[in-house]
Amino acid sequence: MAPRPLTPEEIDSALAELPGWEWDREGNLLRRSYSFARHLQAAAMVVHVAEIQDESDHHADLLLGYNTLGVSVNTHSVGGKVTELDVRLARRIEGIAAAHGAR
């Protein structure tokens, strides 16, 4: 069964539990930027996120910069809308961020 797009109220409720994450209504995606003391920490988090994505078979767009990591995600199979799959992935990413020194 395909995931269903979340309502604006459901997205707002999910984001209340995901500090630092925001809903880009225009692009219809969830996103977050992380900063790090060192570039290697950001790169290590990219690898860890890639492992989570492969495990869950749901993938975000990752943008590795100098001491930064940008994450944006929506569900392509439902026309680029935000679904529970995106919220779950955001929660998992948030759950590993501190261990990588992310702020």
Side-chain angles (χ1 to χ4, degrees):
M1 185 165 126
R4 73 169 175 79
L6 297 178
T7 66
E9 295 78 18
E10 290 171 320
I11 294 170
D12 288 340
S13 177
L15 288 177
E17 300 173 8
L18 287 166
W21 286 82
E22 64 182 13
W23 178 28
D24 175 347
R25 291 174 187 255
E26 188 174 308
N28 208 2
L29 51 84
L30 300 182
R31 69 176 171 202
R32 167 99 202 251
S33 294
Y34 294 98
S35 61
F36 302 83
R38 296 181 22 242
H39 182 70
L40 187 57
Q41 292 171 300
M45 186 160 157
V46 167
V47 172
H48 197 166
V49 171
E51 290 172 345
I52 290 169
Q53 292 178 136
D54 279 352
E55 178 184 295
S56 64
D57 195 28
H58 190 61
H59 299 82
D61 290 324
L62 305 175
L63 180 61
L64 176 62
Y66 178 71
N67 296 355
T68 62
L69 172 59
V71 181
S72 58
V73 64
N74 63 16
T75 303
H76 300 271
S77 64
V78 296
K81 308 274 189 220
V82 175
T83 69
E84 183 61 32
L85 295 174
D86 306 307
V87 172
R88 275 190 240 146
L89 183 57
R91 284 183 186 131
R92 291 198 61 197
I93 292 169
E94 195 62 25
I96 67 161
H100 289 280
R103 311 175 280 214

